[in-house]
Amino acid sequence: MELLGITMGDSSGVGPEILLNAFQRGEITCPFVAYGDTAALERYNVHGVEMRSITQPDDYREGVLNVVNSGLMSGADVTPGVINAKSGHAAREYVIAATKAALAGQIAAMVTLPMNKEATQLTDPGFTGHTELIGALCGVEDVTIMLASDQLIVTHVSTHCSLADAIARARFDRICTIIRMTSEAVLRLKPGAKIAVAGLNPHAGENGLFGDEEIREIRPAVEWAQAQGMPVDGPFPPDTVFFLAVRKKRYDAIVCMYHDQGHIPLKLLDFEAGVNVALGLPIIRTSVDHGTAFDIAGQGIASTVSLLRAIEFAQRLIRT
């Protein structure tokens, strides 16, 4: 049985209701256990979903929502739409528990619902995101985010850092690592795929006129990857590479130099159905590609589409 683990995310956000709504509607068709707090989920349980607290994935039983219950939150602790240190801490613990279960082989993959960085940083000031936390738990440093939809796949040389730090991190070794991880992941999903690498500067630096990172760091990394037989071209001007991939269909994925370079076009193209996949981990982890949406938390209107796509993608990775 390919059992998934789904973390419910920050209880002040939309994660719990997305999980409950998807389960209540029968949209989740594979066996899974939730990592969270049964009491916090009950706060959103307007449809009377039957839940069962368990202590480990092996206790899974069909027909009910099985929750690996952390016991960290009560119903009174839940504050929909409001930053909550207790919720932020609990959300981090759910991810830790699911990661450990995945490493132990108790679950085949983990799927994460959104955390709120500000809330989690109230008890863990060094927290920067799911991917970094999971990477540390897995003992790996070279991790990155791949965002995938039917229209576009993007990966990132850097993610959760300032733009100044992102520029500093666009270096040959790191770019080579991300190109390699991207190539391995994309070819696993689509044999024969082609990958483009975006430049960092306007017009990809225009031969050093607007910056020389393309000359010093990015182009040598592309040439290294090509010499290894990877299906990679670039660097391309960032303002045209997405046109080449999405409209001209010349490329299946784009290696981007920083967070917003990849996130903005993908979210514009397919905001609800985008999936976040962590690369470089010894486990499979996918995630919704949206945040905690505090502005609509508790209203029951948050879309379940990204969660369902994340589950589908996790199953696809398990089988490839």
Side-chain angles (χ1 to χ4, degrees), residues 3-109:
L3 187 68
L4 300 187
I6 303 177
T7 62
M8 77 174 207
D10 191 304
S11 64
S12 298
V14 295
E17 62 195 84
I18 287 175
L19 177 62
L20 287 165
N21 286 341
F23 183 82
Q24 187 267 333
R25 297 169 190 164
E27 295 174 337
I28 304 176
T29 58
C30 63
F32 77 95
V33 295
Y35 285 83
D37 275 294
T38 306
L41 283 164
E42 284 288 6
R43 173 70 172 73
Y44 295 94
N45 192 15
V46 296
H47 299 295
V49 170
E50 183 181 355
M51 288 185 277
R52 177 171 170 262
S53 293
I54 60 176
T55 58
Q56 58 184 349
D58 289 348
D59 296 331
Y60 169 82
R61 189 176 74 197
E62 291 185 4
V64 298
L65 179 56
N66 297 271
V67 183
V68 180
N69 186 32
S70 75
L72 294 172
M73 298 283 294
S74 69
D77 292 326
V78 178
T79 56
V82 178
I83 294 286
N84 181 325
K86 198 167 187 177
S87 291
H89 170 71
R92 181 181 181 276
E93 294 303 308
Y94 310 152
V95 172
I96 291 172
T99 301
K100 289 180 177 178
L103 286 169
Q106 295 175 308
I107 55 176

Side-chain angles (χ1 to χ4, degrees), residues 230-254:
M230 299 177 203
V232 180
D233 293 326
F236 293 101
D239 60 351
T240 59
V241 68
F242 296 97
F243 174 78
L244 295 176
V246 177
R247 295 288 181 257
K248 292 295 186 180
K249 306 295 182 185
R250 294 181 187 172
Y251 296 98
D252 302 283
I254 301 171

Side-chain angles (χ1 to χ4, degrees), residues 130-145:
H130 275 100
T131 305
E132 296 82 1
L133 172 61
I134 297 169
L137 291 167
C138 292
V140 295
E141 294 182 3
D142 287 331
V143 294
T144 192
I145 294 171

